Amino acid sequence: MKDFNIGEIIGLLLRTTPFLIFRFLIYFGITLGYMLITGLGAGTGYGIGAIAGDSAVGGMYGGIAGFAIAGAIMYFLREYLLYMVKAGHIAVLVELLEGKELPGGRSQIDHAQQVVRERFVESSVLFGLDQLIKGILKSFNRIFFTVASFLPIPGSGGLVKFLNTVINLSLTYLDEVILAYNIHTRAENPWDASKTALVLYAQNYKAFLKNAFWLAFLIWGLTLLIFLLILAPVAGLVALFPGSAGPLSLVIALVFAWGIKQAVIEPFAMTALMQVFFKVTQGQQANPEWEARLDSASGKFRELKDKAASWHKPATPAPDTSNP
């Protein structure tokens, strides 16, 4: 049986509606940016192609170039998205799980971002920590996570490999759950708290594997449904681009589905894994044997321990009192 409660998750997300709207606007803006830059690239390529004698091919390559440029811009926005959007949402969800009351409207977003700044003074610290956690989880999951460990299917290696891939994709939110542990424990040393959280996760990995199995069907089933629903209208919109940009309709539909997934489905999955983590690790202490296993499985874990040992919290910036 699963360790997360779907009804409770929906209730928690409804209580963070301001953040859901904020996330939706951010990711809708990103999706719109993809559309506009791709369209601009297609138009430019169409014009250049017309001069060269093949406007259709020019439009197609221009659209591909525009899409690549939009992807590069998104790459540089990822630190902001983690610090101001994802971590903020994690902060308010943690407080709700602790039974606290939250402000509504824009005040909820401001409150959340203040909590994040108190825990992680510099966005670069949070971003660096998150990237290190992802690397450690990737190494650990590659070694220990296989659906065959609890669901043996003789003679079906291809199916097991596919299921492993899907389940591992559903665990991509675990780095955010570990950030939630930092906020929940009011950790002064985020590197040390993350080390503890990773060990707690490792020593309970079978429980996470079981829950990830169920969560995978929910996440990717909903994502596929969204993709199928928006494919036709997106294809009609992309058909307005000059040249033969039609093949890009599939890619743009995927981007739209990604945007909705990031805005709505990702918070659901993240909250589910937060429920699982706090439930299965309640009252536990980090097991030194599992810490040793992480040591041997990941050089990044050893790097995390080194950072924890040398950590000195930066001074919190003083509030601006220049204006009365």
Side-chain angles (χ1 to χ4, degrees):
M1 294 295 292
K2 63 187 187 307
D3 293 302
F4 57 89
N5 185 307
I6 294 175
E8 184 180 344
I9 293 169
I10 293 173
L12 289 168
L13 292 178
L14 288 175
R15 292 177 67 185
T16 62
T17 298
F19 244 103
L20 288 179
I21 294 172
F22 180 51
R23 290 178 70 116
F24 179 80
L25 292 175
I26 291 288
Y27 287 107
F28 177 77
I30 290 171
T31 304
L32 185 61
Y34 267 102
M35 292 286 292
L36 292 176
I37 296 173
T38 301
L40 180 62
T44 303
Y46 184 85
I48 295 173
I51 296 172
D54 196 338
S55 56
V57 173
M60 182 180 68
Y61 282 110
I64 293 172
F67 186 84
I69 292 170
I73 294 172
M74 176 61 191
Y75 180 85
F76 287 107
L77 286 175
R78 58 192 180 140
E79 184 173 331
Y80 167 82
L81 291 173
L82 173 67
Y83 192 65
M84 301 301 290
V85 183
K86 291 184 179 182
H89 202 183
I90 291 168
V92 293
L93 285 168
V94 167
E95 293 198 352
L96 286 176
L97 287 169
E98 293 173 343
K100 297 180 180 179
E101 292 297 321
L102 295 176
R106 176 71 201 185
S107 297
Q108 185 177 113
I109 298 171
D110 293 338
H111 169 73
Q113 292 174 350
Q114 179 60 35
V115 171
V116 174
R117 290 188 184 98
E118 289 174 358
R119 301 265 67 82
F120 308 97
V121 177
E122 300 172 354
S123 64
S124 58
V125 171
L126 177 59
F127 185 69
L129 176 63
D130 183 68
Q131 294 300 302
L132 200 54
I133 291 170
K134 284 180 177 177
I136 296 166
L137 289 170
K138 184 177 180 180
S139 298
F140 179 85
N141 291 346
R142 184 173 61 248
I143 296 171
F144 290 94
F145 262 54
T146 170
V147 69
S149 66
F150 78 100
L151 187 65
I153 311 174
S156 55
L159 176 60
V160 168
K161 186 176 181 180
F162 171 75
L163 290 175
N164 284 338
T165 300
V166 172
I167 289 173
N168 274 294
L169 286 171
S170 72
L171 290 167
T172 56
Y173 313 103
L174 275 169
D175 59 310
E176 294 162 12
V177 174
I178 290 171
L179 296 180
Y181 178 84
N182 269 277
I183 294 171
H184 175 65
T185 57
R186 308 315 193 255
E188 289 295 318
N189 185 334
W191 307 95
D192 189 61
S194 298
K195 181 196 73 174
T196 300
L198 283 162
V199 176
L200 289 172
Y201 160 70
Q203 67 195 44
N204 292 281
Y205 80 95
K206 288 186 178 180
F208 284 95
L209 175 59
K210 175 189 68 174
N211 284 278
F213 181 79
W214 296 108
L215 195 56
F217 290 100
L218 287 171
I219 296 171
W220 299 105
L222 288 172
T223 303
L224 177 61
L225 178 62
I226 290 168
F227 170 73
L228 293 175
L229 288 174
I230 66 176
L231 181 58
V234 167
L237 182 60
V238 173
L240 300 176
F241 292 166
S244 55
L248 290 173
S249 59
L250 181 65
V251 177
I252 298 297
L254 285 170
V255 173
F256 263 104
W258 169 83
I260 296 172
K261 177 177 175 290
Q262 295 293 105
V264 181
I265 300 175
E266 181 185 87
F268 179 92
M270 180 179 70
T271 306
L273 287 176
M274 284 171 61
Q275 277 189 337
V276 173
F277 185 90
F278 291 131
K279 180 178 179 179
V280 303
T281 65
Q282 185 175 11
Q284 292 186 9
Q285 298 295 319
N287 187 327
E289 292 182 8
W290 276 103
E291 182 174 336
R293 290 189 185 187
L294 279 167
D295 255 331
S296 63
S298 172
K300 290 183 182 295
F301 184 74
R302 296 188 291 273
E303 181 182 345
L304 178 70
K305 291 175 66 174
D306 290 341
K307 288 183 177 292
S310 60
W311 167 252
H312 297 287
K313 183 176 180 179
T316 304
D320 184 4
T321 58
S322 57
N323 294 320

